[in-house]
Amino acid sequence: MNFLIKILYLISKLPLKILYIFSDIIFFLNYYLVGYRKKVITQNLKNSFPEKSDEEIAEIRKKFYLNFSDYLAETIKSFSISETETRVRIQYINQHLFHEAKAEGKNIILMAGHVFNWEWMNAFAPVTPQKHSHPVYRKVNSSFWEDQMKKVRSKFGNEPLEANEVILNIFRNKNDGDTIYLFVADQTPHVAHVNYGLKFLNQRTPAFIGYDKLATRMDLAFIYCDMKKVKRGFYQVNYHRIYPDGEKFVKNEVVRKFHHLLENTIKKNPDNYLWSHRKWKYQDSIKTYDGE
């Protein structure tokens, strides 16, 4: 395993323009030969965009495979990418929201979706005034990849937290505006925890709601990450503060608002979302459905 780690790290040291050659090869194999999860991707796109023609769906699917291949190359680059290079490749808009939350004495829940390249969002830590930033992750079956991804998410001063630990950590931690928690909040809950669902991309969608408990019980600042791929290897993150309609968030309000913002992001650049994910496989297990 140590040998494999060294190989991965050496590969990650290659310039991105070289890694994108590997990306092109992966795209060719995936798209033209293997057809990685082609049926899942096609069905997800058709269900999400019933108004689009077969030709439009096919075009989005092809671009998705290109972006997915770039995502893999960029994730490998994450092992060694420097803070200086991330500053060149990622533009942050509305950074003042982090300063406002700090002045208000409110810790931040940063909410993102599986929009490429969400792994590079971890680079935000050096450009914010908060002392602590915790990317939240889910354990994977492979202990090897678990360790490697923790290393990637620990870069730039981040302190990653496993999903099962984060809620307790937030409740115990002082709410003083000095901490950020980054959730990839469109995770699919385990079938045993599919309690709430909503209409998202024209479908009954099981929603992860762990962060909703925080919104209704604590005075935190919720910020949405609108990720945009400007061109190959360059991204823009536009931050949006999510406010309650009333004095404070009511049950599931922040969940609905997050999914509404994410849907807008996806519709602007549909090929930049993780369509290979079986996000809707538990839709029949939803106990409470919000179809508005």
Side-chain angles (χ1 to χ4, degrees), residues 104-147:
E104 294 168 13
K106 295 179 181 180
N107 289 342
I108 295 171
I109 304 298
L110 203 57
M111 306 174 71
H114 282 94
V115 177
F116 300 127
N117 185 342
W118 69 89
E119 290 293 349
W120 278 14
M121 285 187 187
N122 292 339
F124 72 91
V127 301
T128 62
Q130 282 72 22
K131 293 180 182 178
H132 307 285
S133 58
H134 301 289
V136 179
Y137 70 95
R138 275 184 173 182
K139 284 187 177 181
V140 295
N141 293 329
S142 167
S143 58
F144 170 77
W145 285 112
E146 170 86 7
D147 290 341

Side-chain angles (χ1 to χ4, degrees), residues 11-29:
I11 293 173
S12 77
K13 297 288 284 184
L14 293 170
L16 263 172
K17 63 181 179 181
I18 302 298
L19 291 177
Y20 284 139
I21 295 174
F22 291 109
S23 173
D24 291 338
I25 294 170
I26 293 169
F27 163 72
F28 180 85
L29 294 173

